[in-house]
Amino acid sequence: MALNILVVEDEPAIQELIAVNLEHAGHHVIRARDAEGASAIVRNALPDLMLIDWMLPGMSGIALAKLMRQEERTRGIPIILLTARSEEQDKIMGLEAGADDYVTKPFSPRELLARIKAVLRRRSPQMTDDPVEIGGLHLDPSTRRVFGNKAPLGLGPTEFRLLHFLMTHAERVHSRAQLLDQVWGDHVFVEERTVDVHIRRLRKSLEPTGHDRYVETVRGSGYRFTAEPAG
Ligand code: CA
């Protein structure tokens, strides 16, 4: 699956090397040279993952990772720290700051891609191609198909992404703003009402097998996917 990866690295040669390899693997790369530039990009749209160099001019990579973890909106972004330091103590500091993983320079592109995959599987299962199945509803990201009790269901692309996110984060309540961030990515030009429209379409698509009941409205809070619908 193509990801939006924000690479925060001040050394142009290393930034280029990482970007070329990630783009070759089918991802979209956004670049920043320091924490300030990275913060501005994140304010505009949430990336699917951040690769942050430890040693940056100004605010350090580790301080940037901490900052991302402090805010509700950015807390869920998977973060991998890049560093030339390989001391055990440094690794612990990095993980305590909120990084999901840690890659020591020099690293091979293959190692970096493997780490990205592992972190996403843990942190953002909706970004992987692993199939999900809950209560007879089966969603397969690699073929982009959905089955209810083995019968194929037709979903639009946005409804598919919405269902994928809800199913991989089942039983939790998500606000409209959170869904816009997670499913639409860039929420600047999209109104919260849009979420309601697509939830309605999603339920309609799930109706034939009765799985529309699994998409619950939680009054005053948002939406949730549940394997045990009320009523
Ligand atoms: Ca650096």
Side-chain angles (χ1 to χ4, degrees):
M1 193 167 279
L3 304 172
N4 291 315
I5 300 178
L6 174 55
V7 177
V8 193
E9 165 67 81
D10 58 309
E11 286 154 72
I14 298 175
Q15 190 193 71
E16 181 66 18
L17 181 75
I18 294 170
V20 164
N21 279 291
L22 293 179
E23 278 163 3
H24 186 73
H27 300 304
H28 177 62
V29 177
I30 311 134
R31 306 174 191 214
R33 293 181 52 208
D34 52 29
E36 217 168 55
S39 299
I41 289 165
V42 170
R43 266 197 298 281
N44 189 42
L46 287 183
D48 297 320
L49 184 130
M50 289 174 79
L51 287 179
I52 306 177
D53 185 34
W54 183 306
M55 302 296 277
L56 292 172
M59 184 191 278
S60 74
I62 208 158
L64 176 62
K66 268 188 189 154
L67 196 69
M68 294 294 114
R69 287 296 175 258
Q70 275 165 13
E71 278 185 47
E72 174 75 33
R73 182 173 167 263
T74 53
R75 190 168 292 156
I77 305 174
I79 295 175
I80 297 177
L81 274 178
L82 305 173
T83 178
R85 311 160 75 150
S86 60
E87 300 286 321
E88 190 62 19
Q89 192 53 40
D90 291 335
K91 181 170 180 170
I92 292 166
M93 253 178 83
L95 297 177
E96 276 178 351
D100 295 281
D101 205 353
Y102 186 101
V103 178
T104 309
K105 293 178 188 172
F107 48 83
S108 71
R110 188 184 290 206
E111 182 194 356
L112 183 63
L113 288 169
R115 296 291 188 99
I116 289 174
K117 214 169 195 175
V119 164
L120 284 175
R121 187 153 284 148
R122 213 162 62 232
R123 289 289 305 241
S124 308
Q126 81 276 12
M127 295 296 170
T128 71
D129 282 341
D130 298 342
V132 207
E133 170 133 17
I134 299 173
L137 190 64
H138 181 92
L139 180 145
D140 187 351
S142 57
T143 58
R144 297 193 79 80
R145 298 190 74 183
V146 178
F147 297 86
N149 306 328
K150 302 216 160 62
L153 296 168
L155 269 70
T158 305
E159 287 70 41
F160 184 91
R161 285 205 311 278
L162 187 55
L163 181 62
H164 194 192
F165 177 78
L166 290 172
M167 285 183 79
T168 47
H169 298 80
E171 309 303 335
R172 276 170 272 175
V173 181
H174 308 281
S175 69
R176 288 167 179 81
Q178 282 168 339
L179 290 172
L180 282 176
D181 265 343
Q182 297 293 338
V183 178
W184 278 259
D186 193 337
H187 62 111
V188 179
F189 305 108
V190 190
E191 290 180 67
E192 295 203 350
R193 266 195 319 216
T194 305
V195 176
D196 303 330
V197 171
H198 287 277
I199 287 277
R200 268 205 298 283
R201 284 187 198 158
L202 173 60
R203 284 188 178 132
K204 192 111 192 109
S205 309
L206 299 178
E207 250 174 34
T209 53
H211 286 97
D212 52 310
R213 293 187 308 128
Y214 288 43
V215 182
E216 285 189 336
T217 304
V218 182
R219 271 190 78 167
S221 307
Y223 296 102
R224 113 177 113 204
F225 187 94
T226 178
E228 290 170 2

